[in-house]
DNA sequence: ATTGCAAATGATAATCATTATCATTATTAT
DNA sequence: ATAATAATGATAATGATTATCATTTGCAAT
């Protein structure tokens, strides 16, 4: 099993792109962060190690990380794209609390199967999907009472 | 069964807001349009009837229409919010073609039930959800070959 | 090593949908 | 009528992301 670093480097080689300190730092920082993260949050962390690093580079490298298959985009609908691990972190959907914003990754193989069937019933070949379940977590429900 | 117009007017009254020609025109235009529509598209149509109408008003009225329960927002992830009917047009999810952009409203009661169960298994009370199924429609698949 | 070329970076401007502001106009209640 | 309040339209502001571009860096071939 290849490491994320190897996969990224292979991707760079395949695309005739270069391995640079900035790319290394941004990838490492992303990998260390287990929860999903926005470009700005990542920039804030990375800046501490290399204050000269520009935020445009964070956006650019994040895109490369996605293309290399190491991250996937999460759009929670608040105008800020977030990125989460996509390697050794199998596909899952999101349960989001409307109270405190807490998000939990969830997976239901039956739902996944039914999605495929629904798509096929309309002649579609399903490639991917997004599912966001919104509600109130236990804590927030208690707090409301 | 109340008409959409009545529901909107009742909402305005309840909120101490006024019935205006602009609000009437924008609501009518939205109601006539069966497919989902963006603020800009709606503005383009409405402008033909009343060229003096400003696009800020379209955004404002669209928000009122949503609040009145007559429309719901559809976020297809391309940075443009779209609005679709929410009265006599029961909840459905979306099947979107990655080739031509065609979207189809779909509904599967089993999926809906499973979503509720997944949420509950994490202590969440589900309020709503979004599900977008992406793939390639029959036409686009044929074209690719 | 040195030169030349392609890619990468950082700073900053541009983009684009949406929201806020604010002066003007319209509507309602008194 | 008239004061009070809301609505409108024009325009500026916002904020995340992308494009631009001058400068820097890394690599290849001589």
């Amino acid at each position: 099993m290849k490491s994320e670093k190897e996969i990224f480097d292979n991707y760079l080689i395949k695309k005739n792109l270069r391995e640079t300190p900035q790319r290394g730092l941004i990838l490492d920082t992303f990998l260390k962060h287990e929860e999903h993260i926005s470009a700005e949050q990542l920039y804030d962390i990375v800046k501490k190690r290399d204050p000269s690093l520009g935020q445009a580079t964070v956006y650019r490298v994040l895109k490369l990380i996605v293309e290399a298959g190491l991250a996937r985009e999460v759009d929670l609908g608040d105008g800020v794209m977030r990125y989460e691990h996509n390697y050794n972190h199998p596909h899952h959907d999101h349960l989001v609390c409307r109270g405190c914003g807490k998000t939990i990754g969830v997976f239901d193989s039956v739902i996944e199967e039914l999605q495929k069937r629904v798509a096929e019933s309309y002649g579609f070949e399903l490639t991917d999907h997004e599912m966001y379940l919104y509600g109130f977590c236990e804590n927030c429900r208690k707090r409301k009472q």
Side-chain angles (χ1 to χ4, degrees), chain A:
Chain A
M1 174 157 308
K2 283 184 212 158
S3 74
E4 279 107 328
K5 189 81 183 149
E6 282 175 298
I7 291 173
F8 191 64
D9 290 349
N10 287 343
Y11 179 77
L12 293 180
I13 291 165
K14 200 180 69 182
K15 291 278 182 176
N16 285 317
L17 303 174
R18 293 171 186 161
E19 210 181 318
T20 67
Q22 290 92 337
R23 286 177 177 164
L25 175 58
I26 292 168
L27 176 65
D28 283 350
T29 308
F30 170 73
L31 292 175
K32 274 193 207 130
H33 195 91
E34 270 302 316
E35 304 83 42
H36 55 60
I37 190 170
S38 66
E40 202 192 348
Q41 289 175 312
L42 190 53
Y43 175 56
D44 287 342
I45 299 173
V46 145
K47 223 173 18 182
K48 290 174 189 161
R49 289 272 183 116
D50 179 357
S52 71
L53 203 150
Q55 68 177 339
T57 301
V58 174
Y59 279 96
R60 285 188 282 238
V61 177
L62 229 18
K63 190 171 286 182
L64 290 177
I65 294 173
V66 170
E67 287 167 13
L70 296 174
R72 55 178 168 255
E73 299 185 322
V74 184
D75 180 1
L76 298 179
D78 62 354
V80 184
M81 193 59 81
R82 297 192 174 74
Y83 298 84
E84 65 180 15
H85 290 214
N86 193 37
Y87 184 66
N88 286 337
H89 293 69
H91 161 74
H92 57 262
D93 296 296
H94 294 88
L95 184 55
V96 183
C97 179
R98 289 233 183 257
C100 61
K102 182 170 72 173
T103 76
I104 297 173
V106 298
F107 179 81
D108 186 304
S109 59
V110 180
I111 291 178
E112 302 275 324
E113 178 58 30
L114 289 173
Q115 288 169 331
K116 204 182 291 180
R117 281 200 215 159
V118 168
E120 281 165 5
S121 74
Y122 287 94
F124 274 60
E125 190 179 295
L126 197 61
T127 55
D128 60 307
H129 70 264
E130 289 174 64
M131 185 173 80
Y132 295 100
L133 306 179
Y134 297 99
F136 288 95
C137 72
E138 213 149 11
N139 286 340
C140 286
R141 283 215 311 288
K142 281 179 193 158
R143 208 172 301 142
K144 277 201 298 179
Q145 283 167 0

